[in-house]
Amino acid sequence: MTTPFFQANPNITKPYALMDLDDTLFQTQRKIDAWNVPTAEPEHLVCATVNKKGEPLSFMSQRQAAFVNWLFASTDLIVVTARDRSEIKRVKLPFNSWQVLTHGAIILTSDGALFNDWQQQMYKALAPIQDKLHQLTELLDHPSNTLFDSLVLTPHTDSFSHDSNSNNDTNLTVYLAIKHAQKDHQVLAELAQQLPALIPDFDAHFYVHVNANNLAILPHAVHKHHAVKFLLDNHLDKNRPSFGFGDSLADLPFLQLLDWYGMPNHGQLHEQRLTQ
């Protein structure tokens, strides 16, 4: 048997593109300025997200918009993001495939419905640690806690079903997000170091991810890697190639599941590579 040589074929098999969003495909004006993003002159900017008031918040440069347009035209674009179901609605892009949301706790189908199989798995993982998440919330948000002033704590919740036959979903806390009101990244870095001592068995139940002015306290069961692996193993065509991009260290585990992966030339992953 002779192995054939490659020949171009006009019948293209669309690859899966599993893409982080914020700071990978678009960013705020503040970060455009900090990173000196090319082709981001005002006349070239394209609005990618809005804030809660519906005002433009994040933008794509001319090059980024061309790249995103190519992704939608040439790939099966699958969102993999920390954004929850409310936050993803403020991204003004025409998603039409699977969506991995809330750091991997939520999977939406192509028609925007919750994927029940994954919901039930997450319910079983999250329900037993609700008391510990509430304990952490009270500890960090208590008025007497002056150790870390100016922290903005946001518990992220969603509804999860017990089983496929249940019509009664339960609202569960998925993870805790913390920002610093004055964007003092050092305070968040210090908090990340002290968290394991604040609650018994913290490391057994949670991990901490810090990226600039965002700190997340997440149960071990909640990770982009877990959700992407679930899709790759059970619901995506194994004959189709996959690639992806992400800017954060938290993206690397899911990216390493793919055939090819990369990063933008800015952000946490890029900076980490420069220091090694």
Side-chain angles (χ1 to χ4, degrees):
M1 179 179 176
T2 303
T3 302
F5 292 104
F6 173 80
Q7 290 185 342
N9 188 334
N11 298 317
I12 295 174
T13 299
K14 283 188 174 184
Y16 295 111
L18 291 94
M19 304 298 297
D20 175 57
L21 298 177
D22 293 83
D23 299 337
T24 296
L25 298 182
F26 49 74
Q27 59 283 305
T28 61
Q29 183 66 58
R30 180 177 63 83
K31 290 182 178 178
I32 286 174
D33 296 337
W35 292 330
N36 194 26
V37 176
T39 69
E41 298 79 10
E43 65 272 19
H44 289 152
L45 289 180
V46 176
C47 180
T49 78
V50 296
N51 61 20
K52 293 180 180 179
K53 298 179 181 179
E55 303 163 335
L57 179 62
S58 298
F59 306 91
M60 292 183 287
S61 69
Q62 185 179 36
R63 286 187 197 170
Q64 288 172 329
F67 179 54
V68 170
N69 188 65
W70 175 81
L71 287 171
F72 276 113
S74 306
T75 74
D76 189 345
L77 175 58
I78 298 175
V79 172
V80 184
T81 179
R83 286 179 176 258
D84 61 26
R85 284 200 286 164
S86 174
E87 294 165 338
I88 197 66
K89 292 177 181 177
R90 298 198 290 273
V91 178
K92 301 305 179 181
L93 296 176
F95 302 127
N96 56 12
S97 186
W98 298 94
Q99 296 181 48
V100 175
L101 308 179
T102 322
H103 286 282
I106 298 293
I107 296 178
L108 300 184
T109 61
S110 58
D111 59 0
L114 284 166
F115 192 46
N116 286 331
D117 288 354
W118 187 245
Q119 262 200 297
Q120 292 160 37
Q121 288 194 36
M122 292 309 303
Y123 175 85
K124 293 175 183 177
L126 290 172
I129 60 170
Q130 290 302 291
D131 286 346
K132 290 190 177 294
L133 281 164
H134 295 156
Q135 182 183 350
L136 267 173
T137 302
E138 292 176 0
L139 180 67
L140 294 168
D141 209 29
H142 197 278
S144 65
N145 182 11
T146 58
L147 182 61
F148 296 101
D149 290 328
S150 301
L151 295 181
V152 180
L153 176 68
T154 305
H156 285 256
T157 65
D158 212 314
S159 57
F160 295 86
S161 58
H162 304 232
D163 55 62
S164 57
N165 298 319
S166 174
N167 293 320
N168 297 319
D169 288 355
T170 302
N171 201 55
L172 300 177
T173 299
V174 178
Y175 77 100
L176 306 179
I178 302 174
K179 293 179 180 288
H180 192 273
Q182 285 77 48
K183 294 183 170 56
D184 190 333
H185 301 174
Q186 185 58 36
V187 171
L188 293 184
E190 293 173 2
L191 174 60
Q193 292 180 341
Q194 297 188 31
L195 276 171
L198 293 180
I199 186 171
D201 301 322
F202 179 91
D203 289 335
H205 300 284
F206 305 104
Y207 69 99
V208 178
H209 171 60
V210 184
N211 188 1
N213 196 41
N214 297 286
L215 183 151
I217 303 173
L218 300 119
H220 288 300
V222 177
H223 205 294
K224 292 178 179 181
H225 171 274
H226 303 329
V228 169
K229 188 175 190 306
F230 176 79
L231 286 180
L232 287 169
D233 289 347
N234 300 289
H235 299 284
L236 301 187
D237 184 348
K238 292 178 173 55
N239 291 320
R240 291 170 63 179
S242 63
F243 72 92
F245 290 89
D247 73 290
S248 166
L249 290 172
D251 293 323
L252 191 56
F254 97 76
L255 292 173
Q256 290 176 327
L257 295 170
L258 309 178
D259 297 315
W260 299 272
Y261 67 88
M263 69 192 85
N265 64 350
H266 52 255
Q268 189 181 48
L269 259 181
H270 179 69
E271 294 300 323
Q272 182 82 2
R273 298 299 301 169
L274 289 178
T275 59
Q276 291 181 350

